[in-house]
Amino acid sequence: MFYTDVKPRAPLAEYDQSLLWTMVLLVGLGIVMVYSASIAIAEGSRASGYQPTYYLVRHALLVAASLVAAVVAFQIPLRLWQQAAPYLFLFGAGLLILVLVPGVGREVNGSQRWISLHFVTVQPSEFVKLFAVLYAADYTARKAAHMDSFRRGFLPMFMVMLLVGGLLLREPDFGAFVVITVIAMGILFLGGMNWKLFAGLFGLLLVGFVALILASPYRLQRVIGFMDPWADPYGRGYQLSHALIAFGRGEWLGVGLGASVEKLFYLPEAHTDFLLAVIAEELGFAGVAAVLLAFVWIVARAFMIGRRAALLERYFAALVAQGIGLWIGVQAIINIGVNTGMLPTKGLTLPLVSFGGSALATACCALAILLRVDWENRQMMRGFSV
């Protein structure tokens, strides 16, 4: 009889539990902070019936619906997502056209970005972010042999994104345009695009962004206000100056949950775009650092899952995973940059945390697809080890 010190390998887990729990913790934090940030707004709003729990109830229902959608998304194999990717992208482009139709699209604060379905309001640009990830990954996987070609590899994708970008700028939704552009560029680069083409595209995009800012007075005013919010603290610098005050008041550990002053009608959009400022004021540097670490972990896991898929020669799945990581990471960076005064003010929510049904549903579905990529990776690795 022979003895060995080699221990049997631990069974491979079915899914990435740390990724799932990070998602759950961010969503849970969002429920708490949306309630805290929206109490005063709800009590002062006739539309809410002056009920302090108005936004809490709505957000909780949106969270429940988003989690159900995420469970459904997880059940769909990646091969079906790949087959559906072009059609989903066309559907998303159709919604972007529909939202511009008078009488269909709903206008708020000068932007026509929403479609009202009576019981819920849908923001098509949020769904297009997910569809762009799937379409760009499918396109890059199919055109892998032509990524060095300007005509066959780069130009078709460029024309498609130009069309979508034009529709987004008509709304206007410059923030979504930036995020979708980064998604498409990032996936093309990760898919092996010729570096000279990529550098040329990057240069053209920089010129285009500067031209868009200079050509639009309100965008130019936002940039000027961001550079020195204290020059006009009651005008163009109002929102940012109050966000910075909230960060200053929070210090290391915050003033306490529910004790924010800035949310009391001083800080606009406190429960949506500027929720991080309320987190900073009530939970301090510690709370903001925890949120940052959670997003870093999600992005890191997305790229690790994508790398594992690539090693298993699942190239579409790899690009989808890394594209989702890019999307969540870039949108979080922009929102955090806006809240801290490092970037001009843009209407982008903090993924998984801020109030907003369309954004929450698409982010949950995206992470469910990411978990599906990881689950399929593990099933393949289990098959190889048998």
Side-chain angles (χ1 to χ4, degrees):
M1 181 178 293
F2 297 94
Y3 295 91
T4 177
D5 292 330
V6 178
K7 296 181 180 179
R9 185 191 302 180
L12 194 65
E14 289 289 334
Y15 58 91
D16 191 326
Q17 297 184 26
S18 66
L19 177 61
L20 177 63
W21 279 110
T22 303
M23 170 185 166
V24 169
L25 289 172
L26 282 174
V27 171
L29 175 68
I31 293 173
V32 173
M33 295 311 303
V34 164
Y35 179 46
S36 177
S38 66
I39 293 174
I41 302 169
E43 286 182 332
S45 172
R46 182 176 296 178
S48 68
Y50 307 108
Q51 296 297 317
T53 58
Y54 175 75
Y55 288 101
L56 170 64
V57 172
R58 289 187 66 192
H59 190 65
L61 291 173
L62 291 171
V63 166
S66 298
L67 293 178
V68 170
V71 171
V72 173
F74 179 81
Q75 304 301 319
I76 301 174
L78 262 293
R79 59 180 177 79
L80 294 183
W81 282 115
Q82 184 170 11
Q83 292 170 10
Y87 305 104
L88 289 172
F89 192 74
L90 285 173
F91 175 69
L95 290 177
L96 292 180
I97 295 171
L98 190 63
V99 79
L100 296 173
V101 176
V104 177
R106 178 184 172 190
E107 185 174 332
V108 178
N109 296 329
S111 297
Q112 194 165 324
R113 305 177 186 174
W114 297 269
I115 297 174
S116 178
L117 302 177
H118 301 293
F119 59 93
V120 68
T121 301
V122 175
Q123 187 173 355
S125 59
E126 293 295 336
F127 296 100
V128 174
K129 292 173 187 176
L130 176 57
F131 299 159
V133 169
L134 296 170
Y135 176 74
D138 173 57
Y139 177 88
T140 306
R142 285 188 289 107
K143 298 276 189 175
H146 306 294
M147 282 294 104
D148 287 336
S149 170
F150 175 83
R151 184 176 63 87
R152 300 184 66 181
F154 166 74
L155 191 59
M157 186 65 171
F158 177 75
M159 297 303 295
V160 168
M161 299 313 297
L162 195 64
L163 171 64
V164 172
L167 293 171
L168 288 169
L169 292 175
R170 285 280 296 166
E171 296 184 6
D173 194 346
F174 190 68
F177 172 64
V178 171
V179 172
I180 291 171
T181 300
V182 170
I183 290 170
M185 281 188 60
I187 290 177
L188 287 172
F189 179 75
L190 292 167
M193 174 185 271
N194 182 289
W195 70 269
K196 293 180 181 178
L197 288 176
F198 184 81
L201 174 62
F202 186 76
L204 286 173
L205 285 172
L206 283 180
V207 172
F209 285 144
V210 172
L212 287 170
I213 291 170
L214 294 177
S216 176
Y218 88 92
R219 289 194 191 108
L220 185 58
Q221 289 302 313
R222 281 188 171 186
V223 172
I224 294 171
F226 136 77
M227 293 174 68
D228 187 7
W230 308 110
D232 187 11
Y234 298 105
R236 62 186 179 222
Y238 180 82
Q239 201 168 23
L240 178 55
S241 62
H242 280 280
L244 294 176
I245 290 170
F247 272 87
R249 291 192 74 246
E251 298 185 353
W252 289 101
L253 298 176
V255 296
L257 186 62
S260 167
V261 171
E262 287 300 319
K263 69 185 181 185
L264 303 177
F265 301 102
Y266 293 104
L267 179 63
E269 308 297 339
H271 61 304
T272 56
D273 301 348
F274 280 83
L275 185 61
L276 187 70
V278 179
I279 294 174
E281 187 177 2
E282 295 190 350
L283 305 182
F285 174 81
V288 175
V291 172
L292 284 172
L293 287 173
F295 282 111
V296 168
W297 184 251
I298 287 175
V299 174
R301 291 306 305 159
F303 274 83
M304 292 177 72
I305 289 169
R307 182 175 180 273
R308 182 178 294 173
L311 292 174
L312 294 170
E313 299 184 355
R314 305 179 63 234
Y315 300 118
F316 170 75
L319 291 171
V320 166
Q322 293 171 349
I324 290 170
L326 274 174
W327 163 22
I328 299 296
V330 167
Q331 184 158 331
I333 287 170
I334 293 174
N335 181 272
I336 293 165
V338 166
N339 274 257
T340 55
M342 298 176 68
L343 292 172
T345 303
K346 282 311 307 163
L348 284 174
T349 58
L350 189 63
L352 301 171
V353 183
S354 295
F355 180 84
S358 299
L360 182 62
T362 50
C364 287
C365 287
L367 290 179
I369 294 171
L370 178 59
L371 284 167
R372 176 74 193 198
V373 174
D374 180 61
W375 183 83
E376 291 186 5
N377 286 345
R378 292 170 189 250
Q379 297 305 306
M380 288 190 68
M381 293 173 65
R382 183 175 283 107
F384 291 151
S385 65
V386 173

